[in-house]
Amino acid sequence: MTNLNNALLAQQGLRTWYSDHARKLPWRLTPSLYGTWLSEILLQQTQVETGLPKWHLFLERFPTVGHLARASESEVLKAWEGLGYYRRATLLHKAARAIDAAGEFPMSYDAWLKLPGVGPYTAAAIASIGLGEAVAAVDGNVQRVVARWAGITDPVDGKTGAQAVQKVADAWLDHDAPGNHNQAVMELGALVCKPRNPACTLCPISSHCASANNQDMWGVLPAKKVKKKVQRWALTWHIARFENNIVATQRPESGVWAKMWAFPEMSPSAEFHPLGEVMKPVIHLLTHRRIEATFQGWKAPNKAAMEAYATEVGGVVMTWEELEKRAMPRLITKVFNDLRSE
Ligand code: SF4
């Protein structure tokens, strides 16, 4: 009974706090299922500051789900460029096509869950915010708030810990306003119960929190399973040039940077003149990977040699301007102008 009372008190505290402190994000100001869905996909593993301009850009380029469905995959990848985790973009595009083919948006949590790229958290967020369905959405912010509040010490990314978090999140859920409630918990995690130094004195649910003003608890909660070791990956890209042309290749359909455009990893034949390293190796960090990319320059004797090299590596001869229009890994876009000016 006490726990239920505490859950109800937390729910009330969250409701009042959210109405006073919610950030005025555009998808909240003029809500629509399309805008909410886009925001949820764009903001996965992405900060609001980075996701916000992309949300505007997507709505500008693809104003409706029909526009998104009819766009080519390369247009969607290009719009996504810079956000990383490119699989999200291809799944978003596939989902848009499924929605467009169905003629309407899914109208329940279960129906959203069937779409590509939509997991339990995203389905719960969209169904509660966009449709008013009473389902608790649990993302990283919610895991942190709940694990600290309830003192859950099992890893939240393991089965037992995840179930314990879900149980509390379900007990907290405000059935009269599930969308606002879910956003309130996420917002509290983003603004108050931050990973380091949570502002417990400003927290609306501190009175029954197991970790309030307790530095030792903040340091260990939410508990996570032991992380995988970071892999090192040394990569060499070959930039073969002839006048303003280069050879570019599209990466495989799966794996790192799936379907994005980059340079061949195989060096050209001896008739190409080596120009050495184009620039200092570039270090780039992805989840569980530390990539060190080296760019080797080559000058082709003529265009026919470029075509032959492109055929050999399954690539295409194109100008720098053409390449710039295609989606490329962030590792390349961040040094693109340096590569091109050599
Ligand atoms: S009291 Fe502190 S630790 Fe507890 S939920 Fe609030 S901010 Fe987080």
Side-chain angles (χ1 to χ4, degrees):
M1 191 64 186
T2 313
N3 285 344
L4 186 61
N5 281 341
N6 289 350
L8 288 175
L9 286 172
Q11 186 190 92
Q12 285 158 9
L14 285 161
R15 189 187 302 159
T16 313
W17 178 83
Y18 186 67
S19 70
D20 293 342
H21 295 91
R23 284 172 292 180
K24 296 191 173 23
L25 299 169
W27 48 87
R28 289 180 182 160
L29 297 176
T30 43
S32 70
L33 270 176
Y34 182 50
T36 302
W37 170 51
L38 271 183
S39 73
E40 289 299 335
I41 302 293
L42 287 167
L43 292 182
Q44 285 166 12
Q45 288 138 325
T46 301
Q47 300 282 330
V48 169
E49 300 72 43
T50 315
L52 188 58
K54 283 287 182 191
W55 185 84
H56 285 295
L57 180 107
F58 262 78
L59 278 184
E60 202 182 293
R61 287 199 190 161
F62 319 112
T64 65
V65 68
H67 289 88
L68 184 58
R70 288 187 291 278
S72 69
E73 190 177 70
S74 60
E75 284 172 304
V76 178
L77 284 170
K78 187 66 193 167
W80 191 274
E81 196 178 76
L83 281 182
Y85 304 99
Y86 293 93
R87 214 172 105 74
R88 284 187 289 158
T90 49
L91 293 177
L92 174 79
H93 191 217
K94 275 190 188 148
R97 291 191 163 171
I99 295 168
D100 195 47
E104 61 174 7
F105 282 103
M107 293 309 284
S108 68
Y109 168 83
D110 289 333
W112 273 100
L113 203 50
K114 291 193 180 114
L115 284 180
V118 177
Y121 159 73
T122 310
I126 300 169
S128 63
I129 298 167
L131 302 167
E133 191 173 333
V135 274
V138 177
D139 71 347
N141 279 325
V142 177
Q143 283 177 334
R144 184 168 62 256
V145 174
V146 169
R148 285 175 176 170
W149 185 84
I152 295 166
T153 51
D154 286 314
V156 293
D157 48 356
K159 197 175 168 197
T160 315
Q163 282 172 345
V165 168
Q166 189 70 50
K167 206 170 156 194
V168 175
D170 290 342
W172 273 3
L173 187 65
D174 183 344
H175 286 242
D176 293 333
N180 276 359
H181 169 86
N182 280 332
Q183 292 184 92
V185 188
M186 292 185 248
E187 197 81 334
L188 188 76
L191 302 179
V192 176
C193 194
K194 295 183 180 187
R196 285 183 201 153
N197 296 324
C200 298
T201 51
L202 305 176
C203 180
I205 56 171
S206 62
S207 57
H208 294 92
C209 176
S211 311
N213 305 307
N214 186 335
Q215 208 159 1
D216 293 340
M217 295 285 266
W218 307 335
V220 291
L221 297 182
K224 295 270 176 75
K225 289 196 280 195
V226 180
K227 273 196 181 153
K228 270 201 245 164
K229 259 193 160 178
V230 172
Q231 286 175 352
R232 287 168 196 280
W233 183 20
L235 177 69
T236 303
W237 270 317
H238 296 276
I239 303 184
R241 301 162 190 271
F242 181 72
E243 296 171 346
N244 189 34
N245 297 294
I246 35 96
V247 173
T249 52
Q250 192 170 23
R251 294 191 53 86
E253 297 229 338
S254 57
V256 178
W257 302 313
K259 297 187 188 173
M260 313 222 84
W261 286 81
F263 303 100
E265 289 174 44
M266 192 179 96
S267 59
S269 63
E271 61 178 332
F272 283 66
H273 175 69
L275 301 170
E277 278 187 17
V278 175
M279 59 191 302
K280 278 198 308 191
V282 180
I283 308 291
H284 192 74
L285 300 175
L286 296 175
T287 321
H288 307 313
R289 265 182 227 254
R290 183 182 190 276
I291 301 172
E292 184 173 326
T294 308
F295 296 92
Q296 293 286 348
W298 301 86
K299 193 166 169 9
N302 48 50
K303 191 133 182 220
M306 290 284 276
E307 295 287 358
Y309 176 48
T311 305
E312 201 180 355
V313 296
V316 181
V317 177
M318 62 177 79
T319 62
W320 285 102
E321 290 73 25
E322 281 165 340
L323 177 59
E324 199 174 11
K325 289 188 201 132
R326 303 190 185 208
M328 292 174 279
R330 171 88 186 113
L331 191 162
I332 293 180
T333 57
K334 70 185 179 188
V335 294
F336 189 78
N337 287 337
D338 296 330
L339 295 173
R340 179 189 199 158
S341 65
E342 281 302 306

